[in-house]
Amino acid sequence: MVHRIVRKRPLIPGRTSELVIYAPHIAAKARPGNFVILRVHDKGERIPLTIANVERNDGTITLVYLVLGKTTALLDTLHAGDAILDLCGPLGKPTAIRRRPAPVVCVGGGTGIAAMHHIAKGHRLAGNMVIGIIGARSKDLLLFEPELRLVCHEVLVATDDGSRGRKGLVTALLEERLAGEGRVAEVLAVGPVPMMAAVSEVAGRFGVPCQVSLNAIMLDGIGMCGACRVTVGGETRFACVDGPEFDGAKVDFRELSQRLTAFRPQERHAYEELEKSHVCRCAN
Amino acid sequence: MPTRSWKKAMSAAAPTEPSRIRPPRTAMPEQPAGQRVGNFDEVALGYTPDMARAEAVRCLACKKPGCVAGCPVGIDIPGFITALAAGDVPRAYAVIRRANSLPAVCGRVCPQESQCERGCVLGLKGEPVAIGRLERYVADTFMADGACAVLTGAAACPPPVAKTRVACIGSGPASLTVAGTLVTRGIAVDVYEALHEPGGVLVYGIPEFRLPKAVVRREIAALKSLCVRFFTNWVGGRTVMVPELLDQGYEAVFIGIGAGLPVFLDIPGESRIGVFSANEYLTRVNLGRAYAFPEWDTPVYPGRRVVVFGAGNVALDAARTAVRLGARSVSIVYRRSENEMPARAEEIRHAREEGVGFVCLHAPVAFGGDAQGRLASVRLQRMRLGEPDASGRCRPVACEGAFCEIEADIAIVAVGTRANPLLPRSTPGLLVNRRGYISVTEATGETTLPMVFAGGDIVTGAATVISAMGAGRRAAEAISRRLLG
Ligand SMILES: Cc1cc2nc3c(=O)[nH]c(=O)nc-3n(C[C@H](O)[C@H](O)[C@H](O)COP(=O)(O)OP(=O)(O)OC[C@H]3O[C@@H](n4cnc5c(N)ncnc54)[C@H](O)[C@@H]3O)c2cc1C
Ligand SMILES: Cc1cc2nc3c(=O)[nH]c(=O)nc-3n(C[C@H](O)[C@H](O)[C@H](O)COP(=O)(O)OP(=O)(O)OC[C@H]3O[C@@H](n4cnc5c(N)ncnc54)[C@H](O)[C@@H]3O)c2cc1C
Ligand code: SF4
Ligand code: SF4
Ligand code: FES
């Protein structure tokens, strides 16, 4: 099965791009909250990326990635027409989506906004009232706002520097919304770990359940290694098969942040070696 | 194809009269310990043609061979050894392949001392014939490419009948055996594997220095040459569902997904950075080739002091891997005594030679570390042996108040694996037992779903390569009886 990139679209030049990939067997099964694991070359590492959108009729899935290290940098050298060597999915449990009497608030931060898009879309299709709250450091780093506007009834934006929407953090917007009129059924958050921790804390204060999508380091993605283990409510769970979404109130975020640093020196080294090897990325 | 050198050596060796005085068992040449700790190359180098001849002529070609009874797939051992002694390696290979589709693998990793070689009559008074080593020699010498000709005597196997198709889920030894058996009978087989490389534990678990990946790839290439198709990155229960496969026109499905769910110790501090399941550690190094990082991208965590919990093959593989990755000290910590260690004697000897230390009668109770969440030490409790348990091994009993602390920056947990519930949970009607293993009719491997079969570790719990192959064999027989009549 060859998975070709149908379209590539830079969202934040040099940092974040969107790939639309032809993968009909994955598209047929993918539901909001699912992810894939991919490899880009025959000595490559397996990395997980969230499925940000699915077009069943076209047989495509959409991935949005932030260039952080070697694998995402190599992924970024690919273009429309190129094949992804290995693409495995859909993995993880889908988001638990059911009909809600009150609005659902979807909070996305950074690249997590794209991942959140699929969840927001799922809630919308289920007939729920969906409010999107998204944030980034500045307006240039904000992505998927137009896509989110298509699926949310309302989209609130925050940037650290105030270059778009409210100046400040998404949690301030969330807090206002939760303190305001009308009940909120559920909060979902996808983004950097500190953001998800803060969102869980705010939601908890208002007594609203909060689901977070955990980005633990993964290897096989099917529950065979335990690399992705996280502590939830004092119990060890595997993010790849028991998650990636968990009750934010119960997640040990400190441990998750620490575990994400496990391979940092090696990751940095691999990235530096790649930079030295002059991989041509100028065609972006 | 076979080279000339073995032919010459073999014809010189053709036995005339079995002599009364048996020469001693031919030693296996090995990479010296001091050298092999610095590389991932195979430890056992394999017999030369002369050695193979010398060993083959030790066999008495018994009329009622005890060895065959000990082999879970019933290879005609005197048959292949006689052919080998007569210099006919292709015939030896054909004899082996009739019962075993992965001889190069089994010759290397079977626990022969408790199987075929245990039943060898020579073992009663002296040393048994080195059956596994001879099997390896034959498989290595005779490249498996022309497998069909060897297996069936025909230039080409019957082309798979497009209408009769069988799907295997998982690509470990159980599924590979099903594929190898069915395809030579004209049944087309497609194998669906979750990982990006086929082979199961042979690829992600057992290290290169015991089973070179090239050997596994060669066996898989042989299956591909017979038109078995491999679909990697397909997860049964996620990408594809079992009932769907039957709807798509597969007439039978075989589930051989192994028992890969790692068991953790469930003690404080186990989430610390530096604590790994053996599966993670070995998968990074074997499937991800992390020993060649950064040429290969998957990293492995560097550590100078490594402790491994458990004393089975998996624990020893992890320990010996850590030695090769440059750890300064590597210790196996085991809660029973040395006599109860489940690993093969040869593995334990190899590990010792490579400097692995053994701390018996100790069990971990907690992991300690720094403020960044990294492992720095392990707290152990002394144990003593109590009454034998159901398995006949003495039960370890904690000695109250007897604790000690050892330094460690890597801890590898190798205390067993369980059934991964992913596929069973997504397959309505598939019955599993209390511990999550798939229930089957023993003789056929059929599950509670019609035309859905299962075998290997997902039925028995973690066992051996050859027992998984035996299960694959039984299921393949049952499937072909049903489909071909
Ligand atoms: C279920 C899941 C879904 C994900 N979805 C997306 C997505 O849609 N888009 C996206 O851009 N990223 C996503 N990630 C994160 C993504 O997998 C990592 O960014 C990627 O593995 C980095 O690989 P690399 O080789 O480029 O960088 P590496 O060299 O591996 O890492 C570079 C830096 O990223 C950090 N890092 C490594 N792994 C992760 C991780 N799993 N999560 C966060 N930081 C990490 C490291 O600490 C290091 O500082 C997801 C992760 C998970 C577990
Ligand atoms: C480190 C280690 C060392 C060992 N050493 C020895 C030894 O020396 N001698 C010996 O005889 N035995 C040894 N064993 C045991 C032996 O390897 C196993 O008993 C044997 O491999 C089981 O074969 P299997 O076909 O049942 O499954 P496996 O070999 O486990 O293969 C199962 C395959 O199925 C795939 N899979 C899992 N779930 C899914 C899914 N949902 N969809 C698709 N694919 C899936 C897995 O990725 C895997 O590739 C060892 C095991 C380990 C882990
Ligand atoms: S398959 Fe294993 S048990 Fe059977 S003869 Fe070969 S080494 Fe011995
Ligand atoms: S029992 Fe030993 S001597 Fe007899 S046939 Fe088997 S291998 Fe040869
Ligand atoms: S990634 Fe291996 S168990 Fe989750």
Side-chain angles (χ1 to χ4, degrees), chain A residues 39-54:
Chain A
R39 270 189 353 137
V40 288
H41 68 116
D42 64 1
K43 295 180 178 174
E45 185 179 9
R46 302 165 62 89
I47 66 158
L49 294 173
T50 307
I51 298 173
N53 196 21
V54 172

Side-chain angles (χ1 to χ4, degrees), chain A residues 1 25 29 39 41-46 70 74 86-93 217 219-220 222-227 229 231 238 241 254-255 258-259 261-263 266 269-270, chain B residues 194-196 204 233-235 238-241 244 260-262 264 270-273 275-277 279-280 283-284 293-302 371-374 420 422:
Chain A
M1 183 64 61
H25 59 284
K29 297 268 167 40
R39 270 189 353 137
H41 68 116
D42 64 1
K43 295 180 178 174
E45 185 179 9
R46 302 165 62 89
K70 183 170 181 182
L74 288 171
D86 292 302
L87 188 66
C88 179
L91 300 170
K93 280 194 182 147
I217 290 175
L219 186 56
D220 58 285
I222 56 168
M224 304 212 305
C225 74
R229 61 196 192 277
T231 303
F238 289 0
V241 284
R254 196 175 102 93
E255 180 188 282
Q258 288 181 335
R259 285 185 62 83
T261 67
F263 295 96
Q266 289 99 318
H269 178 66
Chain B
L195 296 174
H196 59 261
Y204 81 73
N233 304 307
W234 286 75
V235 184
R238 292 266 200 254
T239 317
V240 63
M241 306 293 160
E244 269 177 335
L261 188 83
F264 281 95
E270 201 160 22
S271 299
R272 287 189 172 278
I273 299 171
V275 182
F276 299 96
S277 72
N279 265 10
E280 176 179 357
T283 302
R284 286 182 177 279
F293 180 86
E295 192 203 335
W296 287 67
D297 295 348
T298 306
V300 65
Y301 192 73
Q372 282 71 52
R374 290 186 186 251
N420 187 337
L422 190 81

Side-chain angles (χ1 to χ4, degrees), chain B residues 59-62 65-67 77-78 81 119-122 129 131:
Chain B
C59 174
L60 304 171
C62 307
C67 53
I77 295 167
I81 297 183
C120 174
V121 60
L122 291 190
V129 175
I131 302 167

